[in-house]
Amino acid sequence: MGDVTMSVKSITLDLLRDARETVRTSPLRVINTPMIPWCQTTLPLNIPCNIHIKLENMQRTGSFKIRGVANQFARRPKGGNFVTMSAGNYGKSFAYASKHYGSKGKVLMPETAPISRATLIQSFGCDVERVPMTCLMNVVNRCVQESNMTFLHPYDDSDLIAGHASLGFEVLELMPQPDVVVICCGGGGLLAGVAAAIKLSGCEKTRIYGVEPEGGTLPYELCQRYVQDIVLVNDEEIKAAVSTLYGAGLLVEPSGCAAFAAIANDRIPDIAGRNVVVILSGGNIGQDELTNFLD
């Protein structure tokens, strides 16, 4: 997790509100995504509660990442020379923003990332270099030192986290006092931003849960500050969640449906009769990948 928790400690409500306005007015045209009642879908639900689903899979560039990127780029010089590392979603938003702002961008991708994602990022005009996972930061440092590039971190960045907080404010517009909010962990940036927005807005009783695939690294300090608990889901539960959501007309990538998988498999305690928000964080999944998840 790096220094995400240090970034979170420096975040104030005023800073988050400023970032929210930056994201709202961004020339990258970030979408205020729909938040729909579960009862208006064909999704099965065995627990009597008031669940709403925030559809970040419908976001521009396909995931919530564009929110943080919009705030990052707004606070950097136009025409900069940036480098980042990403297996897909952040890199896509980074490349989209680089093209808009006339910046030179380079995305370092792990060798295991699908070729289709590298091709998409290159279509925005960004360079892509595929490197072993263990070498990513070494290559970042090389780019910074030898090519005078500026590193934009894909999750450990206070501007990025503040940009992600805009999602939290949108949730509160439609549900001012949620009892429970369930969010995928990922690198921690989305969890940190949304949790900060909700808690600093006065929702002290709201329980916020992060959801992580089994084997993931738990952001312990972040949990202490904002999050009720981190819950785990396994690969089979994620696979089933992708298939169930697809059957209801919602295209959601595996990492983007972790929060839904937690609800569907009763991982979140005491939600009967509660007002619950579930974040579907992204929908970037190719047809070749999707076939591996559908029954």
Side-chain angles (χ1 to χ4, degrees), residues 222-238:
L222 186 59
C223 293
Q224 282 188 315
R225 185 167 182 84
Y226 288 131
V227 179
Q228 180 81 16
D229 199 3
I230 298 292
V231 300
L232 302 179
V233 291
N234 61 44
D235 290 344
E236 287 303 311
E237 289 165 341
I238 289 177

Side-chain angles (χ1 to χ4, degrees), residues 229-264:
D229 199 3
I230 298 292
V231 300
L232 302 179
V233 291
N234 61 44
D235 290 344
E236 287 303 311
E237 289 165 341
I238 289 177
K239 181 178 179 180
V242 172
S243 181
T244 300
L245 288 164
Y246 185 79
L250 297 169
L251 184 64
V252 186
E253 64 194 80
S255 61
C257 69
F260 171 82
I263 290 287

